[in-house]
């Protein structure tokens, strides 16, 4: 089976306490003071203590047009992607020229050529590297990217593949939108990137002992198109974030995950590690409740939310990096399974079943 050789998160250098971000954003979003107490309550309830931003906080007041913010996305996003990829390849003991397939995903900026094309020359990849840029999957794309890269490696077992996620959510901030969705999003989303190196089971790096991808599953819930996503207009990306989203998960997720695991003779209680997209307190509570998970099962996700906020598609990959650090590649509960789970527009869910090497297998990659 394809396996994960390395995961490297990356964050912009501009980090701020949530209270400071709230202080600066409040007059931008709500010129009239009577609603400012609401914004402060929403930010305080987000579960976020710190966020990293693509730009210094003071820059957001006069960032201007979508053209300007998207230009910053290309500039900052490319640099952040380079940082993540270089770190992941170094962890895996591989070079940029070893990469055969590159899947790039984002939902917070656009460019043509896409950022993956810009990475090729910056990193020294081969000019014949196969590339697949993705836009629109949103927060689910970190898990979906793992699944699609694994699909590719099943058919190319001797190759090296790279998944790169870049999400600069702060650059989508809408100054003229005082909707509840925009106010919630302004306190929840952060900026970050991640890179994952994966190899087919015929590649020498597969012997390093990283977790293997056992199975994947995609689920799209009909009639939920208006619950999550973007309303794209002349000002850029305007957030669509329905309060009904947690109920969609509570109503559907339990049966879907149980069915997925049952195909592999497993139950939710058999899963040793849950790698869940840190979508926010209500999303994490809905996932935990739908699956009847024990207290602490989503601790990695809660800690990631507190530390960096919701990073859209990069979020679940940051949680995966933390899981690898805890597990040490195969240490602790050797042979146990992990489930990667993320939610995105559609409403869609992606599930990835991982398995660490059995006890006595070669020690896994460090992180």
């Amino acid at each position: 089976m394809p396996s994960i050789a390395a995961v490297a998160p990356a964050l912009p250098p501009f980090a701020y306490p949530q209270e400071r971000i709230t202080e600066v954003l409040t007059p931008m979003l709500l010129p009239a003071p009577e609603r400012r107490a609401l914004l402060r309550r929403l930010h305080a309830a987000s579960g976020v203590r710190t966020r990293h931003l693509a730009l210094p906080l003071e820059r957001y007041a006069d960032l201007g047009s979508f053209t300007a913010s998207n230009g910053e996305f290309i500039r900052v996003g490319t640099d952040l992607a380079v940082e993540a990829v270089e770190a992941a390849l170094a962890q895996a003991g591989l070079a940029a020229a070893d990469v055969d397939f590159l899947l790039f995903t984002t939902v917070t900026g656009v460019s043509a050529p896409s950022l993956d094309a810009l990475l090729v020359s910056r990193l020294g990849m081969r000019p014949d590297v196969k590339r697949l840029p993705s836009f629109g999957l949103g927060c689910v794309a970190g898990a979906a990217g793992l699944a699609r890269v694994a699909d590719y490696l099943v058919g190319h077992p001797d190759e090296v593949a790279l998944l790169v996620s870049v999400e600069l959510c702060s650059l989508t901030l809408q100054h003229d939108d005082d909707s509840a969705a925009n106010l919630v999003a302004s306190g929840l989303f952060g900026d970050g990137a991640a890179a994952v190196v994966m190899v087919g089971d015929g590649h020498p790096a597969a012997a390093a002992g990283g977790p293997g991808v056992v199975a994947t599953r995609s689920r799209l819930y009909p009639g939920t198109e208006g619950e999550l996503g973007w309303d794209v207009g002349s000002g850029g990306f305007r957030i669509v974030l329905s309060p009904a989203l947690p109920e969609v998960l509570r109503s559907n997720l339990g049966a879907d995950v149980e069915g997925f695991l049952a195909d592999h003779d497993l139950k939710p209680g058999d899963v040793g590690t849950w790698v869940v997209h840190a979508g926010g307190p209500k999303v994490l509570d809905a996932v935990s409740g739908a699956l009847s998970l024990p207290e602490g099962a989503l601790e990695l996700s809660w800690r990631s939310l507190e530390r960096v906020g919701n990073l859209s598609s990069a979020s679940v990959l940051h949680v995966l990096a933390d899981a690898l650090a805890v597990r040490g590649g195969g240490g602790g509960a050797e042979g146990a399974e992990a489930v990667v789970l993320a939610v995105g527009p559609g409403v869609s869910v992606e599930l990835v079943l991982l398995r660490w090497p059995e006890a006595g297998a070669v020690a896994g990659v460090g992180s």
Side-chain angles (χ1 to χ4, degrees):
M1 69 184 76
S3 61
I4 295 171
V7 182
L11 295 164
F14 306 108
Y16 300 92
Q18 179 78 322
E19 294 81 2
R20 175 60 180 159
I21 296 175
T22 304
E23 178 187 353
V24 173
L25 292 189
T26 297
M28 294 185 207
L29 297 175
L30 297 172
E34 57 267 20
R35 294 188 65 201
R36 291 179 180 178
L38 171 62
L39 183 67
R40 288 191 288 269
R41 288 197 300 272
L42 291 172
H43 281 205
S46 67
V48 180
R49 295 187 64 180
T50 308
R51 281 185 284 167
H52 291 247
L53 304 180
L55 304 173
L57 186 53
E58 293 72 21
R59 285 280 312 279
Y60 290 87
D62 58 358
L63 191 55
S65 67
F66 175 58
T67 299
S69 61
N70 196 66
E72 294 290 0
F73 170 83
I74 297 170
R75 181 184 67 84
V76 177
T78 303
D79 289 344
L80 208 57
V82 167
E83 178 184 338
V85 171
E86 288 180 338
L89 289 171
Q91 286 181 33
L94 296 168
D98 296 323
V99 176
D100 302 289
F101 176 72
L102 168 59
L103 192 157
F104 169 72
T105 189
T106 189
V107 75
T108 53
V110 292
S111 66
S114 49
L115 260 61
D116 49 289
L118 305 180
L119 293 178
V120 173
S121 59
R122 283 278 299 270
L123 290 166
M125 292 182 183
R126 302 194 316 267
D128 66 345
V129 64
K130 288 163 278 188
R131 298 181 296 109
L132 183 61
S134 164
F135 178 90
L137 285 171
C139 298
V140 81
L146 292 173
R148 301 293 79 80
V149 171
D151 291 344
Y152 172 85
L153 289 171
V154 167
H156 301 82
D158 298 326
E159 293 191 1
V160 174
L162 189 62
L163 168 64
V164 180
S165 162
V166 174
E167 301 290 11
L168 303 183
C169 305
S170 70
L171 296 177
T172 69
L173 182 70
Q174 299 292 309
H175 290 209
D176 62 342
D177 181 3
D178 65 353
S179 67
N182 193 49
L183 298 184
V184 169
S186 72
L188 179 62
F189 288 93
D191 297 344
V196 183
V197 177
M198 299 176 66
V199 295
D201 57 14
H203 191 277
V213 177
V214 177
T216 70
R217 183 163 296 177
S218 303
R219 186 74 167 94
L220 186 65
Y221 300 130
T224 62
E225 297 88 349
E227 309 298 342
L228 181 63
W230 292 131
D231 182 4
V232 183
S234 59
F237 303 124
R238 192 177 297 267
I239 188 73
V240 175
L241 183 61
S242 168
L245 177 60
E247 183 55 38
V248 172
L249 298 178
R250 281 191 290 267
S251 300
N252 295 281
L253 193 61
D256 287 336
V257 175
E258 288 170 7
F260 175 58
L261 293 174
D263 288 347
H264 303 278
D265 299 319
L266 295 168
K267 298 178 181 178
D270 299 323
V271 176
T273 304
W274 289 92
V275 179
V276 177
H277 160 62
K282 291 183 179 180
V283 168
L284 291 178
D285 284 342
V287 171
S288 183
L291 302 178
S292 300
L293 297 180
E295 185 176 354
L298 301 186
E299 182 63 24
L300 291 176
S301 300
W302 282 103
R303 291 209 310 250
S304 182
L305 177 66
E306 179 182 59
R307 194 169 61 242
V308 297
N310 180 347
L311 303 178
S312 191
S313 70
S315 176
V316 77
L317 303 181
H318 278 239
V319 178
L320 179 58
D322 292 340
L324 284 169
V326 171
R327 295 293 303 269
E334 292 94 342
E337 286 79 14
V339 168
V340 179
L341 186 158
V343 181
V347 168
S348 59
V349 170
E350 288 285 339
L351 303 170
V352 181
L353 179 61
L354 303 179
R355 180 174 292 132
W356 265 264
E358 298 292 342
V362 178
V365 279
S367 56

Short mmCIF file of all heavy atoms in Angstrom, two decimals, residues 1-8 87-94 146 149 153 159-163 195-200 203-213 320-321 324 328-329 354 356 363-367:
data_model
loop_
_atom_site.label_atom_id
_atom_site.label_comp_id
_atom_site.label_asym_id
_atom_site.label_seq_id
_atom_site.Cartn_x
_atom_site.Cartn_y
_atom_site.Cartn_z
N MET A 1 0.85 -1.19 0.00
CA MET A 1 0.00 0.00 0.00
C MET A 1 0.89 1.25 0.00
O MET A 1 2.01 1.22 0.50
CB MET A 1 -0.90 -0.02 1.24
CG MET A 1 -0.18 0.18 2.56
SD MET A 1 -1.23 0.05 4.02
CE MET A 1 -1.41 -1.74 4.10
N PRO A 2 0.41 2.36 -0.57
CA PRO A 2 1.17 3.61 -0.49
C PRO A 2 1.36 4.01 0.96
O PRO A 2 0.53 3.71 1.83
CB PRO A 2 0.26 4.61 -1.22
CG PRO A 2 -0.64 3.78 -2.07
CD PRO A 2 -0.84 2.50 -1.32
N SER A 3 2.44 4.72 1.25
CA SER A 3 2.71 5.13 2.63
C SER A 3 3.15 6.58 2.69
O SER A 3 3.59 7.17 1.70
CB SER A 3 3.76 4.23 3.27
OG SER A 3 4.99 4.31 2.57
N ILE A 4 3.00 7.15 3.88
CA ILE A 4 3.39 8.53 4.14
C ILE A 4 4.81 8.54 4.67
O ILE A 4 5.10 7.96 5.72
CB ILE A 4 2.43 9.17 5.16
CG1 ILE A 4 1.02 9.25 4.55
CG2 ILE A 4 2.92 10.55 5.57
CD1 ILE A 4 -0.05 9.68 5.55
N ALA A 5 5.70 9.20 3.94
CA ALA A 5 7.10 9.25 4.34
C ALA A 5 7.41 10.46 5.22
O ALA A 5 8.33 10.40 6.04
CB ALA A 5 8.00 9.28 3.10
N ALA A 6 6.68 11.55 5.05
CA ALA A 6 6.95 12.75 5.84
C ALA A 6 5.79 13.73 5.70
O ALA A 6 5.12 13.78 4.66
CB ALA A 6 8.24 13.42 5.40
N VAL A 7 5.56 14.51 6.75
CA VAL A 7 4.59 15.60 6.74
C VAL A 7 5.26 16.81 7.37
O VAL A 7 5.81 16.72 8.46
CB VAL A 7 3.32 15.27 7.54
CG1 VAL A 7 2.32 16.42 7.45
CG2 VAL A 7 2.69 13.98 7.04
N ALA A 8 5.22 17.94 6.67
CA ALA A 8 5.86 19.16 7.18
C ALA A 8 4.88 20.32 7.12
O ALA A 8 4.50 20.77 6.04
CB ALA A 8 7.11 19.49 6.38
N ALA A 87 11.17 21.14 3.79
CA ALA A 87 11.21 20.45 5.07
C ALA A 87 10.73 19.01 4.95
O ALA A 87 11.32 18.09 5.54
CB ALA A 87 10.36 21.21 6.09
N ALA A 88 9.66 18.79 4.18
CA ALA A 88 9.14 17.43 4.03
C ALA A 88 10.12 16.53 3.29
O ALA A 88 10.33 15.37 3.68
CB ALA A 88 7.80 17.47 3.29
N LEU A 89 10.72 17.04 2.23
CA LEU A 89 11.69 16.23 1.48
C LEU A 89 12.91 15.91 2.34
O LEU A 89 13.44 14.78 2.29
CB LEU A 89 12.11 16.96 0.21
CG LEU A 89 11.05 17.04 -0.90
CD1 LEU A 89 11.52 17.97 -2.01
CD2 LEU A 89 10.72 15.66 -1.45
N ALA A 90 13.35 16.87 3.14
CA ALA A 90 14.48 16.61 4.03
C ALA A 90 14.15 15.54 5.04
O ALA A 90 14.97 14.64 5.31
CB ALA A 90 14.90 17.91 4.73
N GLN A 91 12.95 15.58 5.61
CA GLN A 91 12.53 14.54 6.54
C GLN A 91 12.53 13.17 5.89
O GLN A 91 12.92 12.17 6.51
CB GLN A 91 11.12 14.82 7.05
CG GLN A 91 10.98 15.94 8.05
CD GLN A 91 9.54 16.09 8.50
OE1 GLN A 91 8.80 15.11 8.58
NE2 GLN A 91 9.14 17.32 8.80
N ALA A 92 12.08 13.11 4.65
CA ALA A 92 11.98 11.84 3.94
C ALA A 92 13.31 11.36 3.37
O ALA A 92 13.41 10.24 2.87
CB ALA A 92 10.96 11.95 2.82
N GLY A 93 14.34 12.22 3.42
CA GLY A 93 15.63 11.85 2.83
C GLY A 93 15.60 11.81 1.32
O GLY A 93 16.33 11.02 0.71
N LEU A 94 14.78 12.66 0.71
CA LEU A 94 14.62 12.69 -0.74
C LEU A 94 14.93 14.07 -1.27
O LEU A 94 14.95 15.06 -0.52
CB LEU A 94 13.20 12.29 -1.13
CG LEU A 94 12.77 10.86 -0.78
CD1 LEU A 94 11.27 10.69 -0.95
CD2 LEU A 94 13.54 9.85 -1.63
N LEU A 146 -4.63 13.45 0.22
CA LEU A 146 -4.00 12.20 0.63
C LEU A 146 -4.61 11.02 -0.13
O LEU A 146 -3.89 10.12 -0.60
CB LEU A 146 -4.18 11.97 2.13
CG LEU A 146 -3.46 12.91 3.09
CD1 LEU A 146 -3.90 12.62 4.52
CD2 LEU A 146 -1.94 12.76 2.98
N VAL A 149 -3.64 11.15 -3.98
CA VAL A 149 -2.23 10.79 -4.17
C VAL A 149 -2.04 9.30 -3.95
O VAL A 149 -1.30 8.64 -4.69
CB VAL A 149 -1.34 11.61 -3.22
CG1 VAL A 149 0.10 11.10 -3.25
CG2 VAL A 149 -1.35 13.09 -3.63
N LEU A 153 -0.50 6.46 -6.54
CA LEU A 153 0.64 5.59 -6.22
C LEU A 153 0.30 4.12 -6.30
O LEU A 153 1.19 3.29 -6.51
CB LEU A 153 1.17 5.93 -4.82
CG LEU A 153 1.89 7.27 -4.71
CD1 LEU A 153 2.18 7.61 -3.26
CD2 LEU A 153 3.19 7.26 -5.52
N GLU A 159 7.04 5.14 -7.46
CA GLU A 159 7.23 6.58 -7.58
C GLU A 159 7.09 7.32 -6.24
O GLU A 159 6.63 6.76 -5.24
CB GLU A 159 6.25 7.15 -8.61
CG GLU A 159 6.55 6.66 -10.03
CD GLU A 159 5.78 7.40 -11.09
OE1 GLU A 159 5.00 8.33 -10.77
OE2 GLU A 159 5.97 7.08 -12.28
N VAL A 160 7.48 8.60 -6.30
CA VAL A 160 7.38 9.52 -5.17
C VAL A 160 6.35 10.59 -5.54
O VAL A 160 6.37 11.14 -6.64
CB VAL A 160 8.73 10.21 -4.89
CG1 VAL A 160 8.58 11.27 -3.80
CG2 VAL A 160 9.77 9.18 -4.49
N ALA A 161 5.45 10.87 -4.60
CA ALA A 161 4.42 11.88 -4.85
C ALA A 161 4.43 12.90 -3.72
O ALA A 161 4.82 12.62 -2.60
CB ALA A 161 3.05 11.23 -4.95
N LEU A 162 3.96 14.08 -4.07
CA LEU A 162 3.98 15.20 -3.13
C LEU A 162 2.60 15.86 -3.12
O LEU A 162 2.04 16.18 -4.17
CB LEU A 162 5.04 16.21 -3.59
CG LEU A 162 5.42 17.38 -2.68
CD1 LEU A 162 6.01 16.87 -1.37
CD2 LEU A 162 6.43 18.27 -3.40
N LEU A 163 2.06 16.05 -1.93
CA LEU A 163 0.84 16.82 -1.73
C LEU A 163 1.21 18.13 -1.07
O LEU A 163 1.89 18.15 -0.03
CB LEU A 163 -0.14 16.04 -0.83
CG LEU A 163 -1.34 16.82 -0.28
CD1 LEU A 163 -2.26 17.28 -1.41
CD2 LEU A 163 -2.10 15.97 0.72
N ALA A 195 3.11 20.20 3.49
CA ALA A 195 3.55 19.32 2.40
C ALA A 195 3.65 17.90 2.94
O ALA A 195 4.10 17.68 4.07
CB ALA A 195 4.90 19.77 1.85
N VAL A 196 3.21 16.96 2.14
CA VAL A 196 3.25 15.54 2.50
C VAL A 196 3.99 14.78 1.40
O VAL A 196 3.63 14.91 0.22
CB VAL A 196 1.84 14.96 2.66
CG1 VAL A 196 1.91 13.49 3.11
CG2 VAL A 196 1.02 15.78 3.65
N VAL A 197 5.00 14.03 1.79
CA VAL A 197 5.69 13.15 0.85
C VAL A 197 5.13 11.75 1.02
O VAL A 197 5.06 11.21 2.13
CB VAL A 197 7.21 13.12 1.12
CG1 VAL A 197 7.90 12.14 0.17
CG2 VAL A 197 7.81 14.51 0.97
N MET A 198 4.68 11.16 -0.10
CA MET A 198 4.16 9.80 -0.09
C MET A 198 4.89 8.97 -1.13
O MET A 198 5.36 9.50 -2.15
CB MET A 198 2.65 9.80 -0.37
CG MET A 198 1.85 10.57 0.68
SD MET A 198 0.07 10.69 0.31
CE MET A 198 -0.42 8.96 0.43
N VAL A 199 5.01 7.68 -0.87
CA VAL A 199 5.71 6.79 -1.79
C VAL A 199 4.88 5.53 -2.02
O VAL A 199 4.11 5.10 -1.16
CB VAL A 199 7.11 6.40 -1.26
CG1 VAL A 199 8.01 7.62 -1.16
CG2 VAL A 199 7.01 5.72 0.10
N GLY A 200 5.07 4.94 -3.21
CA GLY A 200 4.43 3.67 -3.49
C GLY A 200 5.13 2.54 -2.77
O GLY A 200 6.27 2.68 -2.31
N HIS A 203 8.76 1.59 -3.69
CA HIS A 203 9.86 2.54 -3.54
C HIS A 203 10.68 2.22 -2.30
O HIS A 203 10.11 1.82 -1.27
CB HIS A 203 9.32 3.97 -3.45
CG HIS A 203 10.37 5.02 -3.57
ND1 HIS A 203 11.15 5.43 -2.52
CD2 HIS A 203 10.80 5.74 -4.65
CE1 HIS A 203 11.99 6.36 -2.92
NE2 HIS A 203 11.80 6.57 -4.21
N PRO A 204 12.01 2.37 -2.34
CA PRO A 204 12.83 2.05 -1.16
C PRO A 204 12.42 2.80 0.11
O PRO A 204 12.54 2.27 1.22
CB PRO A 204 14.24 2.46 -1.60
CG PRO A 204 14.22 2.35 -3.09
CD PRO A 204 12.84 2.71 -3.50
N ALA A 205 11.91 4.03 -0.02
CA ALA A 205 11.53 4.80 1.16
C ALA A 205 10.33 4.20 1.88
O ALA A 205 10.08 4.52 3.05
CB ALA A 205 11.23 6.24 0.78
N ALA A 206 9.60 3.29 1.23
CA ALA A 206 8.46 2.66 1.88
C ALA A 206 8.91 1.80 3.06
O ALA A 206 8.13 1.55 3.99
CB ALA A 206 7.69 1.81 0.88
N ALA A 207 10.14 1.35 3.04
CA ALA A 207 10.66 0.50 4.12
C ALA A 207 10.93 1.29 5.40
O ALA A 207 11.23 0.69 6.44
CB ALA A 207 11.94 -0.19 3.67
N ALA A 208 10.82 2.63 5.35
CA ALA A 208 11.11 3.44 6.53
C ALA A 208 10.07 3.28 7.62
O ALA A 208 10.30 3.65 8.76
CB ALA A 208 11.23 4.91 6.14
N GLY A 209 8.90 2.78 7.28
CA GLY A 209 7.93 2.46 8.31
C GLY A 209 6.86 3.49 8.56
O GLY A 209 6.19 3.45 9.60
N GLY A 210 6.64 4.46 7.66
CA GLY A 210 5.57 5.42 7.85
C GLY A 210 4.22 4.75 7.69
O GLY A 210 4.11 3.63 7.17
N PRO A 211 3.15 5.40 8.16
CA PRO A 211 1.82 4.78 8.07
C PRO A 211 1.39 4.59 6.63
O PRO A 211 1.64 5.44 5.76
CB PRO A 211 0.92 5.79 8.79
CG PRO A 211 1.66 7.08 8.72
CD PRO A 211 3.11 6.74 8.77
N GLY A 212 0.74 3.47 6.36
CA GLY A 212 0.26 3.17 5.02
C GLY A 212 -1.20 3.55 4.87
O GLY A 212 -1.97 3.55 5.83
N VAL A 213 -1.59 3.88 3.63
CA VAL A 213 -2.98 4.20 3.32
C VAL A 213 -3.69 2.90 2.97
O VAL A 213 -3.47 2.31 1.92
CB VAL A 213 -3.07 5.20 2.16
CG1 VAL A 213 -4.54 5.48 1.81
CG2 VAL A 213 -2.37 6.51 2.53
N LEU A 320 -2.18 15.88 11.27
CA LEU A 320 -1.48 14.65 10.92
C LEU A 320 -0.01 14.73 11.32
O LEU A 320 0.56 13.75 11.82
CB LEU A 320 -1.60 14.40 9.41
CG LEU A 320 -0.89 13.16 8.86
CD1 LEU A 320 -1.38 11.88 9.53
CD2 LEU A 320 -1.07 13.08 7.34
N ALA A 321 0.62 15.89 11.11
CA ALA A 321 2.02 16.05 11.52
C ALA A 321 2.15 15.86 13.03
O ALA A 321 3.10 15.22 13.51
CB ALA A 321 2.53 17.43 11.12
N LEU A 324 1.89 12.14 13.82
CA LEU A 324 3.15 11.45 13.52
C LEU A 324 4.19 11.70 14.60
O LEU A 324 4.94 10.79 14.97
CB LEU A 324 3.69 11.92 12.16
CG LEU A 324 2.99 11.37 10.92
CD1 LEU A 324 3.43 12.12 9.68
CD2 LEU A 324 3.27 9.88 10.77
N GLY A 328 5.55 8.74 16.60
CA GLY A 328 6.94 8.45 16.23
C GLY A 328 7.05 7.54 15.03
O GLY A 328 8.01 6.79 14.88
N GLY A 329 6.05 7.59 14.14
CA GLY A 329 6.08 6.74 12.96
C GLY A 329 5.49 5.38 13.21
O GLY A 329 4.78 4.83 12.40
N LEU A 354 -5.55 4.89 7.82
CA LEU A 354 -4.11 4.64 7.87
C LEU A 354 -3.82 3.49 8.81
O LEU A 354 -4.56 3.23 9.76
CB LEU A 354 -3.36 5.89 8.37
CG LEU A 354 -3.55 7.21 7.62
CD1 LEU A 354 -2.74 8.31 8.30
CD2 LEU A 354 -3.15 7.07 6.16
N TRP A 356 -0.36 2.01 10.97
CA TRP A 356 1.05 2.03 11.29
C TRP A 356 1.65 0.65 11.17
O TRP A 356 0.92 -0.35 11.26
CB TRP A 356 1.26 2.57 12.70
CG TRP A 356 1.54 4.04 12.76
CD1 TRP A 356 2.76 4.63 12.82
CD2 TRP A 356 0.59 5.10 12.74
NE1 TRP A 356 2.63 6.00 12.85
CE2 TRP A 356 1.32 6.32 12.81
CE3 TRP A 356 -0.81 5.17 12.68
CZ2 TRP A 356 0.69 7.55 12.82
CZ3 TRP A 356 -1.43 6.39 12.70
CH2 TRP A 356 -0.68 7.58 12.75
N ALA A 363 11.65 0.84 12.32
CA ALA A 363 11.25 2.09 12.97
C ALA A 363 10.82 3.11 11.93
O ALA A 363 11.40 3.19 10.83
CB ALA A 363 12.39 2.64 13.81
N GLY A 364 9.82 3.92 12.26
CA GLY A 364 9.26 4.86 11.29
C GLY A 364 10.07 6.14 11.20
O GLY A 364 11.01 6.36 11.95
N VAL A 365 9.62 6.97 10.26
CA VAL A 365 10.28 8.26 10.08
C VAL A 365 10.03 9.14 11.28
O VAL A 365 8.95 9.13 11.85
CB VAL A 365 9.76 8.96 8.81
CG1 VAL A 365 10.42 8.44 7.58
CG2 VAL A 365 8.26 8.86 8.70
N GLY A 366 11.01 9.95 11.61
CA GLY A 366 10.82 10.93 12.69
C GLY A 366 10.11 12.15 12.17
O GLY A 366 9.89 12.30 10.98
N SER A 367 9.73 13.01 13.08
CA SER A 367 9.06 14.24 12.66
C SER A 367 9.42 15.35 13.60
O SER A 367 10.12 15.15 14.56
CB SER A 367 7.54 14.02 12.61
OG SER A 367 7.08 13.56 13.85
#
